[in-house]
Amino acid sequence: MKRSSWTDYQKEIADDNYYYARSCIRQNFFPGSEKVFLDIVGRDLGRNIFDDPKHTSCTGIGYHSDVVPLETIMTVVARQFALMSEAGYENFTSSCITSFGIYTELLATWEEFPEMEERTREYLYKATGREFTKPKNLAHTSDVIFHHREEIARKAKRKLINTYTGEPLKVVEHIGCHYAKIFPKKGVGGSEFPYVLAGMVESWGGEIVDYPERRHCCGFGFRNYLVQANRGYSITNSHKKLESMAPYKPDFIVCNCPGCSMFLDKWQYTIAEMEGTTYGQNGAGIPVLTYEEMAGLVLGYDPWELGMQMHQVDVEPLLDKMGVEYDPTAKYLGKNGRFLGRPQKALVNSCIEEAIYKTSNRR
Amino acid sequence: MGKYFDMLMEDVRLKEGLTACMNCGVCTAVCPAAGVYNYDPRQIVSIVQMRDDDSIEELLKSDTIWYCGECMSCRPRCPRGNTPGYVIQALRTLSQKLGFFVESEKGRQQLALKRAIGDNILRTGYCLTPRNIRPELHPEQGTVWKWIIDNDEQIYGRYTDAYGKEGAGALRKCSDQTLDEIHKIFEITGGKAFFDTIEHYSDIKAREMGFDGADEDYFMEVYTHNSNQHY
Ligand code: SF4
Ligand code: SF4
């Protein structure tokens, strides 16, 4: 297969008027990413997007932990679609890969088994009095950013370039299994050559790292992380990926799925604490970004306004390479501007003082 | 012969997930669970398609069906269009309906998942919320997570006006009406009954194992115990 074969898997992505569905995982670990997504789409790109306080979790984590039955999740999803239609929208965009997988799977199931769609309609009506229309367009939030990537490139304040060397930054992209492995045709580039993040990286000046375990799962595995006794599964799979990418010396990892972003960040911490191994340059961890954070940096947002202090692995080495101006002392401030104290330092954070020192040197 | 297979076939995920397996093993080659556990999705699909009740019952009572991570990496690769991950979902659902899940160490963990994720959905409208990712149960979440939980209102407050309150924004509180609708959906679609089934069989098993029912001690046992016999 040729490198350009992603073009065989193009999907239609709505240009405007989005109904936004938040993600349990993203709002927990990356609330700044959800905020900046709304700011980028609504303010920088001038599109209409609706943040509805009425929707809930899709219950996808419960479904993939096998405690939420299929009929139940179908009806919860039908309720989300009903809320979308009631608000006057047709384009549904979900901030979570697990949810995106659920929506694509259930829409396909209803196509194939129309009696299940009928039953879902009855359940929803009985439970809530609501009726739903299926979305005209379904996109993951990264699809929306991908769709607008050239416009973002035109508005860029910074590029994915190492300002010390002038070379493109080397980026590992991780797609998240449920984006395209369930329905390859519903993801940009399909399951073999997903292009949704690679397209952003290339448009914004960076260079993609191709490494052997590029398509391997991050290791979430639902019950394999959620139950403490099973976490060996999760860390083993992240470890496999980190070992495989490290020789290529990536400057950062960018993820499509909020769960993957969290695992590739947190398991680096755990691996370092357990066996002293770190995967980044300068003996620290590899910074792991969400695509919203990556887009935010490109558009000139402040890293702490993006919530990047909520990562375990420090992002300062990357900010320095990109030439991002930031205030190191603002990192640990709360909502009221009060200093909250620092998290306890860990092995993956070993270069934090150095990073701050370098920044003050530059000024 | 075929009683359990017929029950499995009532699940659309089995219809979708299993046509005819030719035992090529491609699914096993890409499977992240196969790299960790003594686990072989090819064999599972093969057992199910043989339709033998004794073998399927054995599977439903085993640890084996609980190893899969439902990543669906097997789905796009199968040359016959099968999805072993879907077959697993159907097996797990049936195992819980019949109460067989409590017969294995990994199966018993369903109680922990029901309480940690399932009950949280009914309580909050979300699968997870910051305060149920308690640092003492999640040491792998690291030092920054502990700092976040210690200062949650100040930190989340930078990104959302609705932290723990009604209104639009990340981690907003779902309104009573929303939660009421979710509860009704769970009741009408069998979600609540499924939760009760998990509790019911877990309680019986817990007593058999010497606990005072499926209490907090039993929860901690299934949440943390690893016999290390799985590799
Ligand atoms: S890849 Fe498909 S045909 Fe091959 S063993 Fe797995 S399920 Fe069977
Ligand atoms: S869904 Fe399950 S069987 Fe399929 S590759 Fe993932 S872990 Fe393996």
Side-chain angles (χ1 to χ4, degrees):
Chain A
M1 272 188 260
K2 286 203 208 75
R3 199 181 156 281
S4 64
S5 49
W6 74 271
T7 49
D8 298 344
Y9 290 89
Q10 294 274 23
K11 69 180 268 191
E12 205 189 310
I13 302 163
D15 186 65
D16 201 352
N17 298 319
Y18 309 101
Y19 179 91
Y20 180 59
R22 289 179 184 275
S23 148
C24 297
I25 303 189
R26 202 181 298 278
Q27 67 174 357
N28 261 267
F29 295 102
F30 308 102
S33 293
E34 291 207 333
K35 180 175 187 300
V36 79
F37 177 80
L38 290 172
D39 289 345
I40 290 176
V41 174
R43 206 173 51 207
D44 298 327
L45 300 169
R47 300 305 200 275
N48 177 273
I49 182 158
F50 180 52
D51 179 16
D52 186 358
K54 288 203 201 110
H55 81 77
T56 61
S57 166
C58 72
T59 72
I61 295 175
Y63 175 69
H64 282 298
S65 304
D66 307 278
V67 297
V68 172
L70 180 60
E71 292 75 11
T72 306
I73 192 168
M74 276 188 174
T75 313
V76 173
V77 163
R79 180 179 177 274
Q80 318 274 64
F81 291 159
L83 294 171
M84 174 197 71
S85 348
E86 286 164 25
Y89 287 81
E90 299 181 308
N91 305 324
F92 196 95
T93 185
S94 140
S95 168
C96 176
I97 292 293
T98 301
S99 295
F100 178 73
I102 295 287
Y103 296 124
T104 50
E105 180 186 333
L106 299 192
L107 287 169
T109 307
W110 290 340
E111 282 301 315
E112 191 134 343
F113 303 94
E115 70 281 7
M116 293 206 79
E117 182 180 333
E118 254 339 281
R119 198 159 64 208
T120 305
R121 289 187 183 281
E122 284 162 27
Y123 283 149
L124 181 71
Y125 190 77
K126 232 160 114 186
T128 69
R130 296 181 194 273
E131 291 174 273
F132 73 95
T133 315
K134 287 182 269 184
K136 204 166 108 195
N137 188 267
L138 174 71
H140 185 249
T141 42
S142 60
D143 293 333
V144 173
I145 298 285
F146 173 85
H147 175 78
H148 297 293
R149 68 194 186 286
E150 295 305 339
E151 196 174 335
I152 292 174
R154 283 193 294 276
K155 294 180 192 301
K157 300 266 178 357
R158 308 166 183 134
K159 295 207 120 188
L160 300 177
I161 301 275
N162 184 329
T163 55
Y164 295 124
T165 63
E167 297 287 315
L169 289 171
K170 284 191 279 191
V171 189
V172 156
E173 46 83 271
H174 179 77
I175 294 302
C177 295
H178 289 193
Y179 175 71
K181 285 179 183 172
I182 304 183
F183 287 95
K185 290 231 176 306
K186 302 292 179 195
V188 178
S191 67
E192 298 298 335
F193 293 94
Y195 191 63
V196 61
L197 299 182
M200 292 179 209
V201 169
E202 288 178 2
S203 292
W204 303 338
E207 187 181 291
I208 289 291
V209 174
D210 203 359
Y211 68 105
E213 298 296 349
R214 186 170 169 192
R215 302 286 170 242
H216 196 75
C217 173
C218 73
F220 179 13
F222 299 96
R223 67 188 333 276
N224 287 299
Y225 170 74
L226 297 166
V227 177
Q228 193 179 69
N230 304 342
R231 286 183 194 147
Y233 171 108
S234 189
I235 195 169
T236 301
N237 284 301
S238 279
H239 180 258
K240 189 172 184 173
K241 288 187 73 77
L242 291 161
E243 289 284 329
S244 173
M245 72 177 75
Y248 299 85
K249 298 192 177 7
D251 294 302
F252 70 98
I253 300 169
V254 62
C255 295
N256 208 20
C257 172
C260 308
S261 311
M262 185 270 281
F263 287 115
L264 290 171
D265 183 48
K266 302 296 170 64
W267 287 131
Q268 287 193 69
Y269 159 81
T270 311
I271 292 166
E273 297 299 313
M274 284 173 78
E275 50 181 41
T277 309
T278 51
Y279 293 100
Q281 297 156 45
N282 315 324
I286 307 172
V288 187
L289 273 60
T290 65
Y291 56 85
E292 295 102 321
E293 290 168 345
M294 177 170 75
L297 287 180
V298 165
L299 285 167
Y301 284 76
D302 177 80
W304 316 140
E305 286 312 309
L306 296 170
M308 296 176 90
Q309 67 277 44
M310 292 176 77
H311 302 192
Q312 179 68 46
V313 175
D314 292 314
V315 294
E316 284 88 337
L318 170 68
L319 302 178
D320 293 341
K321 283 181 202 162
M322 274 183 79
V324 174
E325 299 273 328
Y326 60 93
D327 177 2
T329 61
K331 184 173 183 182
Y332 300 115
L333 302 183
K335 180 185 176 185
N336 300 336
R338 186 171 61 85
F339 177 60
L340 301 172
R342 277 164 175 268
Q344 201 189 324
K345 199 167 130 175
L347 279 172
V348 283
N349 303 116
S350 57
C351 71
I352 182 163
E353 275 86 4
E354 195 202 347
I356 290 171
Y357 173 73
K358 265 200 229 144
T359 315
S360 33
N361 253 2
R362 191 199 297 276
R363 283 174 175 185
Chain B
M1 279 283 282
K3 168 178 74 165
Y4 292 128
F5 184 81
D6 292 345
M7 292 167 102
L8 286 168
M9 276 305 267
E10 286 168 23
D11 192 319
V12 289
R13 293 168 299 189
L14 201 89
K15 288 190 198 126
E16 273 296 294
L18 175 59
T19 43
C21 165
M22 60 179 180
N23 264 299
C24 67
V26 167
C27 51
T28 305
V30 298
C31 172
V36 175
Y37 294 122
N38 179 12
Y39 175 69
D40 181 354
R42 176 196 57 84
Q43 216 169 13
I44 294 192
V45 174
S46 179
I47 291 171
V48 172
Q49 82 172 358
M50 299 291 285
R51 306 183 182 207
D52 176 60
D53 270 341
D54 292 342
S55 318
I56 296 180
E57 182 169 327
E58 203 181 307
L59 207 52
L60 292 169
K61 291 180 172 168
S62 71
D63 280 317
T64 315
I65 58 168
W66 302 102
Y67 293 144
C68 161
E70 296 191 13
C71 65
M72 306 300 167
S73 300
C74 45
R75 180 170 158 89
R77 292 290 175 84
C78 172
R80 304 302 290 267
N82 300 325
T83 308
Y86 283 2
V87 175
I88 285 287
Q89 287 181 300
L91 286 163
R92 287 175 175 179
T93 300
L94 186 60
S95 172
Q96 291 175 95
K97 280 188 180 154
L98 298 172
F100 290 167
F101 69 105
V102 297
E103 301 308 326
S104 69
E105 176 188 323
K106 296 290 186 197
R108 286 192 285 276
Q109 295 170 341
Q110 287 308 101
L111 178 82
L113 290 161
K114 179 263 168 192
R115 292 206 184 150
I117 308 296
D119 290 352
N120 204 50
I121 294 171
L122 294 180
R123 210 166 36 236
T124 65
Y126 303 119
C127 290
L128 44 124
T129 37
R131 287 195 186 160
N132 76 345
I133 309 167
R134 281 153 46 199
E136 63 277 20
L137 293 181
H138 289 269
E140 77 292 343
Q141 282 292 337
T143 57
V144 175
W145 183 249
K146 180 160 187 330
W147 172 77
I148 293 168
I149 291 300
D150 289 345
N151 299 286
D152 60 342
E153 286 181 11
Q154 281 299 314
I155 294 170
Y156 287 107
R158 283 182 76 161
Y159 310 103
T160 169
D161 292 330
Y163 184 58
K165 288 185 265 185
E166 286 187 28
L171 292 165
R172 61 181 154 70
K173 187 173 176 294
C174 288
S175 72
D176 290 346
Q177 196 206 327
T178 294
L179 289 176
D180 192 48
E181 288 185 23
I182 293 298
H183 278 246
K184 287 213 186 96
I185 290 174
F186 269 73
E187 253 161 45
I188 286 171
T189 58
K192 276 227 178 102
F194 198 72
F195 283 5
D196 293 345
T197 303
I198 296 173
E199 288 283 347
H200 170 75
Y201 287 111
S202 298
D203 195 71
I204 296 173
K205 188 66 189 181
R207 288 174 200 281
E208 224 177 279
M209 288 169 69
F211 293 88
D212 288 335
D215 56 8
E216 188 58 24
D217 289 344
Y218 179 75
F219 172 91
M220 282 310 287
E221 166 71 17
V222 300
Y223 181 72
T224 58
H225 177 66
N226 186 342
S227 65
N228 283 318
Q229 303 292 306
H230 308 284
Y231 311 104

